[in-house]
C-alpha cells in the first residue's frame, strides 16, 4: 500500500507557472505507475498526465499537452508536475495517483482513473484572470 501526499498548489495569475509535488510513502517496493488528475465540482476527474516507473513513457491530456511536464524521482519517491502558462481552465483540485505497473498494458491504459489503486488528498490550484 502506497500513501500519497500532494503539495505545491496555490493561487497564481494567468500565464504563471506552478510545480506540484507528490510524495509517496509506505510500501513502495514494487514498481508503480503514477499519474495526475484534476477535478472541479460537478465534473468527473480529468486526466492530466501519467508516467511509467522508469520514466520511459509519458502521456498527456489534450488540454495540457505542450504546457505541462510530468517527471519522477524514484530515489526520493516523489513525482512532479511542472505547469506552465496556466490558464483559467486549469483551475481545480489536482490529485496524484499510483497504480501497479503491468508491462503488457499500453501507456494509454493509465489515462483512466479506474486503474489506479491509491490517491492523494488533492491540492487546490486557483488561476486568476
Amino acid at each position: 500500500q502506497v500513501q500519497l501526499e500532494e503539495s505545491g498548489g496555490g493561487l497564481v495569475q494567468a500565464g504563471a507557472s506552478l510545480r506540484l509535488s507528490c510524495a509517496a510513502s509506505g510500501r513502495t517496493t514494487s514498481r508503480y505507475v503514477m499519474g495526475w488528475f484534476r477535478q472541479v465540482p460537478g465534473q468527473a476527474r480529468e486526466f492530466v498526465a501519467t508516467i511509467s516507473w522508469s520514466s520511459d513513457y509519458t502521456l498527456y491530456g489534450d488540454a495540457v499537452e505542450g504546457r505541462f511536464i510530468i517527471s519522477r524521482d524514484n530515489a526520493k519517491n516523489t513525482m512532479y508536475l511542472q505547469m506552465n502558462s496556466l490558464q483559467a481552465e486549469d483551475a481545480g483540485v489536482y490529485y496524484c495517483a499510483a497504480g501497479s505497473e503491468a508491462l503488457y498494458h499500453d501507456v494509454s491504459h493509465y489515462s483512466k482513473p479506474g486503474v489506479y489503486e491509491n490517491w492523494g488528498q488533492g491540492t487546490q490550484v486557483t488561476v486568476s484572470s
Side-chain angles (χ1 to χ4, degrees):
Q1 186 73 17
V2 177
Q3 286 74 238
L4 305 174
E5 183 178 6
E6 303 96 335
S7 62
L11 190 155
V12 298
Q13 295 182 350
S17 297
L18 273 178
R19 189 175 78 159
L20 305 182
S21 298
C22 176
S25 60
R27 301 285 290 179
T28 60
T29 58
S30 60
R31 300 166 64 95
Y32 54 94
V33 173
M34 300 190 76
W36 289 97
F37 294 80
R38 64 189 185 189
Q39 189 170 24
V40 298
Q43 298 185 12
R45 281 168 291 177
E46 178 186 11
F47 170 68
V48 176
T50 187
I51 185 168
S52 64
W53 169 259
S54 299
S55 298
D56 50 348
Y57 296 102
T58 59
L59 184 68
Y60 296 91
D62 291 342
V64 306
E65 181 77 49
R67 296 188 296 117
F68 291 9
I69 301 173
I70 188 171
S71 62
R72 66 191 296 169
D73 185 341
N74 290 343
K76 298 180 179 179
N77 289 323
T78 302
M79 174 180 65
Y80 306 96
L81 183 68
Q82 178 67 44
M83 304 185 294
N84 300 315
S85 300
L86 282 163
Q87 305 167 16
E89 55 265 34
D90 294 317
V93 177
Y94 281 69
Y95 298 91
C96 67
S100 300
E101 181 171 84
L103 297 181
Y104 57 85
H105 284 304
D106 185 84
V107 66
S108 63
H109 177 76
Y110 298 99
S111 67
K112 297 177 288 186
V115 308
Y116 291 89
E117 301 163 351
N118 303 96
W119 294 83
Q121 79 283 2
T123 186
Q124 178 72 49
V125 173
T126 304
V127 183
S128 62
S129 304

